[in-house]
Amino acid sequence: MSQSLPPVAPSVTAELVAALSPRLSKRLDGGVGKLAGLPVVRDGDTARIALDDTTAVELHAPGGVVRSADAIRCGCLLAPACLHRAAAASAAPIAAPGPGTDAVDPHADLPSPPVASAPTNSGTGPPGPAPAPVQARPTPPAQRDPGVRPDTAGRPGTGVPPVAATADGPAAEVSDTATPNQRTAARALYDAAAAVLEAGTDGSGAVLQAELLRAAHTARTAGLPRPAAAAVSVVNAVRAARGADPAYRLTDLVSALRDTLAAAHRIPAATGGELTALRGTSRQPYVPDGSLRLYGLFCEPVLTATGYAGAVTWTADAGGRLYTVSDVAPGGVGRAVGAADRAVRIGDTALTHRELSRAGLAVSGATVSPAGRLGAGARVRAVRASGADWNGPPLDHLWAVPVAEQVSRALDGDGHGLLFLDIVILGTVHEAAGDVLLADCDGLPVRLAVAHDDPGLPHRDNFRHLAAARGARLRAVARLSPAPHARALLLATGHPTDPGARVDLGLDRLQHAGLPALPPPSPTAAPPGADEAPLHLLSRRVHQAASGGRRVLAFPGAGSADGGRLRGCGLATAAELLDALRTAAAERARDPFGRLLPADTGLFARAWLAAARYTQEIDRAWCAAAWNAVRSTAPAPAPRRNRPPHDPGR
């Protein structure tokens, strides 16, 4: 039912839950469960849930989003202080802040701040708080905006004062240190996220979710949009887990919790470029970019957990810089599929997203956001132009960049995580979430997974057809999926039988009749599984704590032998982090009468965050090492002839 309800702003949910009496708060989770089984009737901007023959709850969503508590009304006798309004808000998807913000951008990911280096296994000293991030790297030349103009994201090294925008006002210069309001908001966000970690998914009911949403709203209004968006992602993941959503992934919850706690932990002490990166940007301003000649790459559907859907078309200029044109609004899978046939909103062009992905665009008076999104202002003019083939200039140079370099850029947070790969289809490999394609990329076995599992999208059907075309050599576009082995989410490929055609795997449908039976290639070893690495003894406890809460690690003897196994493998730091996590989970003080006092959620959260950041950095290092194997297939460089063989400067 939640996808039938309009999205509700986080502040609205927090306000309605906070207004409940203690007695009604205890019944809130039950009320949400009852509403989930009732039908929703949509009439324009109004959604109606009939509670009985005479009582109903109505959600008024002008523009598709509920942005005030007064927009949720109930006809029961206890209204407006009733349980039904808070239950309806808690059952509805969480709305993004508004158009033009990072949270609405389907590809505005929220990675953890980059750290200086991966922790070492020195085995000395107790585990401390999360590692301190370093300054974010400037955008590489291939991704930097052409021309000279202010970088509104406040990237270090640009010489431009960082700016930020809150939900209530325009952009303004920000200080090099966190303001008192930001420190207070960060501490509240940390405490709320720590309470969710303490309780786990089963114990994080609507009340705890609302507290985290309130802290996220406070953080956003204080000028901390990045940790605020990460906190909303935590609530979305918790709701998906409690609702048995098939799209739920425990790794998503762990990542969101880690990002929220890490940012909230560092913001009070951060300065300069580190603070700018931790704050994030609330609004994506569009700045003039002159005239552009763009070539369509591919189009992908967007279907988010916050109730937004649509399509994003990727284009590139002759220099390889990527630009996007998006049409994302509240909706479900039907809108995600239908948006591909809607006209792009740039100038007077009548091109649809599907057509633009294979054609070209000439734009004058272009405006572009720092993320590469094209604006649709009144002065922008655009006309259709000829497209380009993936195998010819100027698009072919995207595939000429070494794969290891593309992966390194994606892991550093530069670009959009896209990989341009030349692959040979080998078959399938079974994973817990389903079969994935196994492909050869310059001698490296790569696992290619579906970008979205929704049955309304053709990803799975297209994967089955591609798996049948073993031996086919294709060019592909994928998004990096960090793992200890080479893994990516496949977005678009060339057609197995038509070298000049492309297939957008989330929108187009391959026909099995048009695919020839190709001979299988020589056997290739599958990538090793993550469970072969001993670090999974620590990462498993990190995941268990996020799912089950502190109590699952507090049982006597739970995982007591894992520390010894890690030390035996030379992972002394991992062993100490695991011991500290188990100790923090089991530590409970007593009052003078011997009664247990409430657990120290902050202590447990710090121990969990240190372990989560450690495993994250090791996973990043393994991911880079796995993709770096592509380099070994390249021919060795010829020796320089102007130096003798014994020259020490070689």
mmCIF file of all heavy atoms in Angstrom, residues 74-123:
data_model
loop_
_atom_site.group_PDB
_atom_site.id
_atom_site.type_symbol
_atom_site.label_atom_id
_atom_site.label_comp_id
_atom_site.label_asym_id
_atom_site.label_seq_id
_atom_site.Cartn_x
_atom_site.Cartn_y
_atom_site.Cartn_z
ATOM 1 N N CYS A 74 -8.241 13.311 9.297
ATOM 2 C CA CYS A 74 -8.951 12.095 9.693
ATOM 3 C C CYS A 74 -10.348 12.465 10.189
ATOM 4 O O CYS A 74 -10.540 13.520 10.813
ATOM 5 C CB CYS A 74 -8.177 11.362 10.783
ATOM 6 S SG CYS A 74 -8.951 9.815 11.330
ATOM 7 N N GLY A 75 -11.305 11.589 9.932
ATOM 8 C CA GLY A 75 -12.685 11.854 10.332
ATOM 9 C C GLY A 75 -13.087 11.205 11.632
ATOM 10 O O GLY A 75 -14.284 11.225 11.983
ATOM 11 N N CYS A 76 -12.143 10.634 12.388
ATOM 12 C CA CYS A 76 -12.509 9.979 13.643
ATOM 13 C C CYS A 76 -12.741 11.013 14.738
ATOM 14 O O CYS A 76 -12.399 12.190 14.602
ATOM 15 C CB CYS A 76 -11.440 8.979 14.071
ATOM 16 S SG CYS A 76 -9.918 9.734 14.676
ATOM 17 N N LEU A 77 -13.270 10.571 15.869
ATOM 18 C CA LEU A 77 -13.635 11.478 16.954
ATOM 19 C C LEU A 77 -12.423 12.073 17.651
ATOM 20 O O LEU A 77 -12.497 13.162 18.233
ATOM 21 C CB LEU A 77 -14.503 10.731 17.979
ATOM 22 C CG LEU A 77 -15.859 10.227 17.467
ATOM 23 C CD1 LEU A 77 -16.583 9.449 18.553
ATOM 24 C CD2 LEU A 77 -16.712 11.406 17.003
ATOM 25 N N LEU A 78 -11.253 11.375 17.623
ATOM 26 C CA LEU A 78 -10.069 11.869 18.308
ATOM 27 C C LEU A 78 -9.253 12.842 17.463
ATOM 28 O O LEU A 78 -8.280 13.416 17.948
ATOM 29 C CB LEU A 78 -9.177 10.700 18.737
ATOM 30 C CG LEU A 78 -9.756 9.755 19.787
ATOM 31 C CD1 LEU A 78 -8.772 8.629 20.069
ATOM 32 C CD2 LEU A 78 -10.097 10.508 21.063
ATOM 33 N N ALA A 79 -9.599 12.988 16.202
ATOM 34 C CA ALA A 79 -8.829 13.867 15.319
ATOM 35 C C ALA A 79 -8.914 15.310 15.837
ATOM 36 O O ALA A 79 -9.939 15.724 16.404
ATOM 37 C CB ALA A 79 -9.371 13.775 13.903
ATOM 38 N N PRO A 80 -7.830 16.073 15.698
ATOM 39 C CA PRO A 80 -6.600 15.752 14.947
ATOM 40 C C PRO A 80 -5.526 15.051 15.756
ATOM 41 O O PRO A 80 -4.457 14.770 15.237
ATOM 42 C CB PRO A 80 -6.109 17.138 14.524
ATOM 43 C CG PRO A 80 -6.531 18.034 15.651
ATOM 44 C CD PRO A 80 -7.853 17.486 16.127
ATOM 45 N N ALA A 81 -5.767 14.785 17.064
ATOM 46 C CA ALA A 81 -4.753 14.143 17.899
ATOM 47 C C ALA A 81 -4.914 12.634 17.888
ATOM 48 O O ALA A 81 -4.650 11.961 18.886
ATOM 49 C CB ALA A 81 -4.844 14.674 19.326
ATOM 50 N N CYS A 82 -5.303 12.063 16.755
ATOM 51 C CA CYS A 82 -5.574 10.630 16.682
ATOM 52 C C CYS A 82 -4.353 9.867 16.186
ATOM 53 O O CYS A 82 -3.372 10.446 15.700
ATOM 54 C CB CYS A 82 -6.757 10.357 15.757
ATOM 55 S SG CYS A 82 -6.461 10.827 14.049
ATOM 56 N N LEU A 83 -4.450 8.562 16.274
ATOM 57 C CA LEU A 83 -3.372 7.692 15.828
ATOM 58 C C LEU A 83 -3.331 7.566 14.310
ATOM 59 O O LEU A 83 -2.260 7.362 13.720
ATOM 60 C CB LEU A 83 -3.564 6.305 16.463
ATOM 61 C CG LEU A 83 -2.545 5.225 16.112
ATOM 62 C CD1 LEU A 83 -1.199 5.535 16.734
ATOM 63 C CD2 LEU A 83 -3.042 3.862 16.574
ATOM 64 N N HIS A 84 -4.466 7.714 13.649
ATOM 65 C CA HIS A 84 -4.557 7.412 12.219
ATOM 66 C C HIS A 84 -3.696 8.342 11.368
ATOM 67 O O HIS A 84 -3.095 7.904 10.384
ATOM 68 C CB HIS A 84 -6.019 7.495 11.769
ATOM 69 C CG HIS A 84 -6.928 6.623 12.566
ATOM 70 N ND1 HIS A 84 -8.065 7.108 13.192
ATOM 71 C CD2 HIS A 84 -6.874 5.306 12.881
ATOM 72 C CE1 HIS A 84 -8.682 6.136 13.821
ATOM 73 N NE2 HIS A 84 -7.975 5.021 13.654
ATOM 74 N N ARG A 85 -3.630 9.617 11.709
ATOM 75 C CA ARG A 85 -2.838 10.557 10.907
ATOM 76 C C ARG A 85 -1.356 10.204 10.970
ATOM 77 O O ARG A 85 -0.654 10.187 9.947
ATOM 78 C CB ARG A 85 -3.057 11.982 11.392
ATOM 79 C CG ARG A 85 -4.494 12.479 11.270
ATOM 80 C CD ARG A 85 -4.670 13.835 11.935
ATOM 81 N NE ARG A 85 -3.960 14.893 11.219
ATOM 82 C CZ ARG A 85 -3.293 15.872 11.815
ATOM 83 N NH1 ARG A 85 -3.222 15.908 13.151
ATOM 84 N NH2 ARG A 85 -2.700 16.807 11.112
ATOM 85 N N ALA A 86 -0.853 9.910 12.173
ATOM 86 C CA ALA A 86 0.557 9.537 12.307
ATOM 87 C C ALA A 86 0.838 8.200 11.627
ATOM 88 O O ALA A 86 1.901 8.017 11.022
ATOM 89 C CB ALA A 86 0.940 9.469 13.784
ATOM 90 N N ALA A 87 -0.107 7.270 11.704
ATOM 91 C CA ALA A 87 0.092 5.970 11.061
ATOM 92 C C ALA A 87 0.137 6.111 9.546
ATOM 93 O O ALA A 87 0.944 5.455 8.869
ATOM 94 C CB ALA A 87 -1.016 5.010 11.483
ATOM 95 N N ALA A 88 -0.744 6.962 8.991
ATOM 96 C CA ALA A 88 -0.745 7.157 7.542
ATOM 97 C C ALA A 88 0.565 7.788 7.076
ATOM 98 O O ALA A 88 1.134 7.399 6.050
ATOM 99 C CB ALA A 88 -1.928 8.032 7.133
ATOM 100 N N ALA A 89 1.066 8.768 7.837
ATOM 101 C CA ALA A 89 2.334 9.403 7.464
ATOM 102 C C ALA A 89 3.489 8.418 7.571
ATOM 103 O O ALA A 89 4.409 8.422 6.742
ATOM 104 C CB ALA A 89 2.589 10.616 8.355
ATOM 105 N N SER A 90 3.454 7.531 8.579
ATOM 106 C CA SER A 90 4.529 6.561 8.762
ATOM 107 C C SER A 90 4.488 5.459 7.716
ATOM 108 O O SER A 90 5.518 4.830 7.436
ATOM 109 C CB SER A 90 4.442 5.942 10.162
ATOM 110 O OG SER A 90 4.558 6.934 11.166
ATOM 111 N N ALA A 91 3.310 5.204 7.159
ATOM 112 C CA ALA A 91 3.187 4.164 6.142
ATOM 113 C C ALA A 91 3.519 4.658 4.747
ATOM 114 O O ALA A 91 3.798 3.853 3.853
ATOM 115 C CB ALA A 91 1.765 3.587 6.157
ATOM 116 N N ALA A 92 3.508 5.967 4.540
ATOM 117 C CA ALA A 92 3.736 6.529 3.209
ATOM 118 C C ALA A 92 5.222 6.626 2.912
ATOM 119 O O ALA A 92 6.056 6.659 3.821
ATOM 120 C CB ALA A 92 3.091 7.916 3.115
ATOM 121 N N PRO A 93 5.589 6.666 1.635
ATOM 122 C CA PRO A 93 7.002 6.886 1.288
ATOM 123 C C PRO A 93 7.491 8.227 1.792
ATOM 124 O O PRO A 93 6.709 9.152 2.001
ATOM 125 C CB PRO A 93 7.001 6.833 -0.254
ATOM 126 C CG PRO A 93 5.733 6.141 -0.632
ATOM 127 C CD PRO A 93 4.746 6.472 0.445
ATOM 128 N N ILE A 94 8.790 8.330 1.973
ATOM 129 C CA ILE A 94 9.400 9.565 2.452
ATOM 130 C C ILE A 94 9.698 10.446 1.256
ATOM 131 O O ILE A 94 10.359 10.029 0.303
ATOM 132 C CB ILE A 94 10.686 9.277 3.234
ATOM 133 C CG1 ILE A 94 10.389 8.341 4.403
ATOM 134 C CG2 ILE A 94 11.305 10.570 3.759
ATOM 135 C CD1 ILE A 94 11.624 7.851 5.113
ATOM 136 N N ALA A 95 9.227 11.684 1.310
ATOM 137 C CA ALA A 95 9.416 12.603 0.189
ATOM 138 C C ALA A 95 10.815 13.171 0.191
ATOM 139 O O ALA A 95 11.419 13.396 1.247
ATOM 140 C CB ALA A 95 8.393 13.737 0.263
ATOM 141 N N ALA A 96 11.319 13.395 -1.004
ATOM 142 C CA ALA A 96 12.579 14.114 -1.151
ATOM 143 C C ALA A 96 12.329 15.584 -0.847
ATOM 144 O O ALA A 96 11.192 16.060 -0.896
ATOM 145 C CB ALA A 96 13.132 13.935 -2.558
ATOM 146 N N PRO A 97 13.383 16.357 -0.527
ATOM 147 C CA PRO A 97 13.180 17.755 -0.124
ATOM 148 C C PRO A 97 12.482 18.606 -1.152
ATOM 149 O O PRO A 97 11.717 19.479 -0.808
ATOM 150 C CB PRO A 97 14.604 18.257 0.136
ATOM 151 C CG PRO A 97 15.393 17.027 0.408
ATOM 152 C CD PRO A 97 14.774 15.946 -0.404
ATOM 153 N N GLY A 98 12.714 18.381 -2.434
ATOM 154 C CA GLY A 98 12.073 19.215 -3.434
ATOM 155 C C GLY A 98 12.854 19.215 -4.721
ATOM 156 O O GLY A 98 13.966 18.712 -4.808
ATOM 157 N N PRO A 99 12.301 19.773 -5.790
ATOM 158 C CA PRO A 99 12.984 19.776 -7.070
ATOM 159 C C PRO A 99 14.311 20.500 -7.005
ATOM 160 O O PRO A 99 14.462 21.506 -6.335
ATOM 161 C CB PRO A 99 11.999 20.506 -7.999
ATOM 162 C CG PRO A 99 10.679 20.432 -7.309
ATOM 163 C CD PRO A 99 10.972 20.423 -5.856
ATOM 164 N N GLY A 100 15.258 19.949 -7.741
ATOM 165 C CA GLY A 100 16.560 20.576 -7.841
ATOM 166 C C GLY A 100 17.508 20.264 -6.722
ATOM 167 O O GLY A 100 18.573 20.840 -6.620
ATOM 168 N N THR A 101 17.167 19.331 -5.846
ATOM 169 C CA THR A 101 18.057 19.003 -4.755
ATOM 170 C C THR A 101 18.765 17.703 -5.033
ATOM 171 O O THR A 101 18.366 16.908 -5.850
ATOM 172 C CB THR A 101 17.258 18.885 -3.443
ATOM 173 O OG1 THR A 101 16.337 17.815 -3.589
ATOM 174 C CG2 THR A 101 16.518 20.140 -3.116
ATOM 175 N N ASP A 102 19.819 17.482 -4.262
ATOM 176 C CA ASP A 102 20.585 16.259 -4.424
ATOM 177 C C ASP A 102 19.736 15.032 -4.159
ATOM 178 O O ASP A 102 19.902 14.000 -4.782
ATOM 179 C CB ASP A 102 21.779 16.247 -3.453
ATOM 180 C CG ASP A 102 22.889 17.142 -3.940
ATOM 181 O OD1 ASP A 102 22.811 17.573 -5.092
ATOM 182 O OD2 ASP A 102 23.824 17.402 -3.169
ATOM 183 N N ALA A 103 18.828 15.120 -3.200
ATOM 184 C CA ALA A 103 18.073 13.936 -2.828
ATOM 185 C C ALA A 103 17.133 13.484 -3.914
ATOM 186 O O ALA A 103 16.741 12.340 -3.966
ATOM 187 C CB ALA A 103 17.297 14.210 -1.538
ATOM 188 N N VAL A 104 16.732 14.401 -4.809
ATOM 189 C CA VAL A 104 15.861 14.005 -5.904
ATOM 190 C C VAL A 104 16.658 13.398 -7.040
ATOM 191 O O VAL A 104 16.157 12.589 -7.797
ATOM 192 C CB VAL A 104 15.062 15.226 -6.409
ATOM 193 C CG1 VAL A 104 14.190 14.864 -7.589
ATOM 194 C CG2 VAL A 104 14.197 15.773 -5.283
ATOM 195 N N ASP A 105 17.912 13.788 -7.155
ATOM 196 C CA ASP A 105 18.756 13.256 -8.213
ATOM 197 C C ASP A 105 18.934 11.769 -8.002
ATOM 198 O O ASP A 105 19.464 11.331 -6.989
ATOM 199 C CB ASP A 105 20.113 13.957 -8.181
ATOM 200 C CG ASP A 105 21.021 13.499 -9.291
ATOM 201 O OD1 ASP A 105 20.574 12.675 -10.107
ATOM 202 O OD2 ASP A 105 22.167 13.964 -9.346
ATOM 203 N N PRO A 106 18.502 10.916 -8.935
ATOM 204 C CA PRO A 106 18.595 9.480 -8.712
ATOM 205 C C PRO A 106 20.012 8.969 -8.647
ATOM 206 O O PRO A 106 20.246 7.849 -8.202
ATOM 207 C CB PRO A 106 17.854 8.894 -9.921
ATOM 208 C CG PRO A 106 17.931 9.954 -10.963
ATOM 209 C CD PRO A 106 17.905 11.253 -10.226
ATOM 210 N N HIS A 107 20.974 9.752 -9.093
ATOM 211 C CA HIS A 107 22.357 9.301 -9.076
ATOM 212 C C HIS A 107 23.223 10.166 -8.176
ATOM 213 O O HIS A 107 24.438 10.151 -8.286
ATOM 214 C CB HIS A 107 22.922 9.281 -10.496
ATOM 215 C CG HIS A 107 22.090 8.458 -11.417
ATOM 216 N ND1 HIS A 107 21.962 7.105 -11.282
ATOM 217 C CD2 HIS A 107 21.305 8.795 -12.467
ATOM 218 C CE1 HIS A 107 21.162 6.629 -12.224
ATOM 219 N NE2 HIS A 107 20.743 7.650 -12.944
ATOM 220 N N ALA A 108 22.611 10.923 -7.287
ATOM 221 C CA ALA A 108 23.394 11.695 -6.319
ATOM 222 C C ALA A 108 23.678 10.804 -5.131
ATOM 223 O O ALA A 108 23.019 10.847 -4.119
ATOM 224 C CB ALA A 108 22.634 12.952 -5.881
ATOM 225 N N ASP A 109 24.680 9.910 -5.294
ATOM 226 C CA ASP A 109 24.982 8.963 -4.242
ATOM 227 C C ASP A 109 25.616 9.677 -3.075
ATOM 228 O O ASP A 109 26.097 10.783 -3.170
ATOM 229 C CB ASP A 109 25.909 7.851 -4.744
ATOM 230 C CG ASP A 109 27.139 8.413 -5.429
ATOM 231 O OD1 ASP A 109 27.175 9.629 -5.707
ATOM 232 O OD2 ASP A 109 28.048 7.630 -5.677
ATOM 233 N N LEU A 110 25.650 9.000 -1.944
ATOM 234 C CA LEU A 110 26.172 9.591 -0.722
ATOM 235 C C LEU A 110 27.277 8.700 -0.180
ATOM 236 O O LEU A 110 27.121 8.017 0.819
ATOM 237 C CB LEU A 110 25.056 9.736 0.311
ATOM 238 C CG LEU A 110 23.959 10.713 -0.078
ATOM 239 C CD1 LEU A 110 22.732 10.481 0.768
ATOM 240 C CD2 LEU A 110 24.442 12.135 0.045
ATOM 241 N N PRO A 111 28.427 8.674 -0.820
ATOM 242 C CA PRO A 111 29.492 7.820 -0.328
ATOM 243 C C PRO A 111 30.081 8.353 0.959
ATOM 244 O O PRO A 111 29.983 9.539 1.260
ATOM 245 C CB PRO A 111 30.536 7.872 -1.456
ATOM 246 C CG PRO A 111 30.310 9.206 -2.083
ATOM 247 C CD PRO A 111 28.826 9.484 -1.963
ATOM 248 N N SER A 112 30.712 7.456 1.718
ATOM 249 C CA SER A 112 31.405 7.916 2.909
ATOM 250 C C SER A 112 32.566 8.798 2.519
ATOM 251 O O SER A 112 33.136 8.646 1.442
ATOM 252 C CB SER A 112 31.927 6.705 3.699
ATOM 253 O OG SER A 112 30.852 5.962 4.198
ATOM 254 N N PRO A 113 32.942 9.742 3.353
ATOM 255 C CA PRO A 113 34.075 10.601 3.017
ATOM 256 C C PRO A 113 35.314 9.762 2.780
ATOM 257 O O PRO A 113 35.572 8.811 3.510
ATOM 258 C CB PRO A 113 34.230 11.478 4.268
ATOM 259 C CG PRO A 113 32.913 11.407 4.956
ATOM 260 C CD PRO A 113 32.353 10.056 4.650
ATOM 261 N N PRO A 114 36.099 10.078 1.741
ATOM 262 C CA PRO A 114 37.299 9.289 1.481
ATOM 263 C C PRO A 114 38.287 9.410 2.619
ATOM 264 O O PRO A 114 38.473 10.486 3.178
ATOM 265 C CB PRO A 114 37.849 9.892 0.189
ATOM 266 C CG PRO A 114 37.267 11.264 0.135
ATOM 267 C CD PRO A 114 35.935 11.194 0.813
ATOM 268 N N VAL A 115 38.916 8.306 2.974
ATOM 269 C CA VAL A 115 39.897 8.325 4.049
ATOM 270 C C VAL A 115 41.283 8.277 3.452
ATOM 271 O O VAL A 115 41.489 7.925 2.293
ATOM 272 C CB VAL A 115 39.698 7.140 5.015
ATOM 273 C CG1 VAL A 115 38.340 7.208 5.647
ATOM 274 C CG2 VAL A 115 39.906 5.820 4.302
ATOM 275 N N ALA A 116 42.258 8.638 4.263
ATOM 276 C CA ALA A 116 43.612 8.762 3.747
ATOM 277 C C ALA A 116 44.150 7.433 3.264
ATOM 278 O O ALA A 116 44.765 7.332 2.226
ATOM 279 C CB ALA A 116 44.517 9.344 4.839
ATOM 280 N N SER A 117 43.943 6.381 4.014
ATOM 281 C CA SER A 117 44.420 5.067 3.611
ATOM 282 C C SER A 117 43.674 4.024 4.396
ATOM 283 O O SER A 117 43.049 4.295 5.411
ATOM 284 C CB SER A 117 45.930 4.932 3.865
ATOM 285 O OG SER A 117 46.208 5.098 5.251
ATOM 286 N N ALA A 118 43.753 2.792 3.930
ATOM 287 C CA ALA A 118 43.090 1.702 4.632
ATOM 288 C C ALA A 118 43.814 1.419 5.935
ATOM 289 O O ALA A 118 45.033 1.535 6.027
ATOM 290 C CB ALA A 118 43.078 0.452 3.752
ATOM 291 N N PRO A 119 43.086 1.038 6.983
ATOM 292 C CA PRO A 119 43.738 0.727 8.248
ATOM 293 C C PRO A 119 44.701 -0.436 8.076
ATOM 294 O O PRO A 119 44.476 -1.332 7.283
ATOM 295 C CB PRO A 119 42.563 0.364 9.176
ATOM 296 C CG PRO A 119 41.368 0.942 8.515
ATOM 297 C CD PRO A 119 41.646 0.932 7.052
ATOM 298 N N THR A 120 45.770 -0.406 8.825
ATOM 299 C CA THR A 120 46.748 -1.482 8.760
ATOM 300 C C THR A 120 46.516 -2.450 9.891
ATOM 301 O O THR A 120 45.921 -2.129 10.908
ATOM 302 C CB THR A 120 48.170 -0.920 8.859
ATOM 303 O OG1 THR A 120 48.289 -0.204 10.092
ATOM 304 C CG2 THR A 120 48.459 0.027 7.698
ATOM 305 N N ASN A 121 47.027 -3.640 9.737
ATOM 306 C CA ASN A 121 46.891 -4.682 10.746
ATOM 307 C C ASN A 121 48.133 -4.702 11.633
ATOM 308 O O ASN A 121 48.885 -5.663 11.686
ATOM 309 C CB ASN A 121 46.694 -6.039 10.076
ATOM 310 C CG ASN A 121 45.319 -6.159 9.497
ATOM 311 O OD1 ASN A 121 44.349 -6.111 10.230
ATOM 312 N ND2 ASN A 121 45.219 -6.288 8.191
ATOM 313 N N SER A 122 48.378 -3.577 12.255
ATOM 314 C CA SER A 122 49.552 -3.494 13.104
ATOM 315 C C SER A 122 49.357 -4.237 14.405
ATOM 316 O O SER A 122 50.306 -4.693 15.025
ATOM 317 C CB SER A 122 49.880 -2.026 13.391
ATOM 318 O OG SER A 122 48.803 -1.412 14.075
ATOM 319 N N GLY A 123 48.101 -4.295 14.838
ATOM 320 C CA GLY A 123 47.813 -4.991 16.076
ATOM 321 C C GLY A 123 48.195 -4.204 17.300
ATOM 322 O O GLY A 123 48.249 -4.745 18.393
#
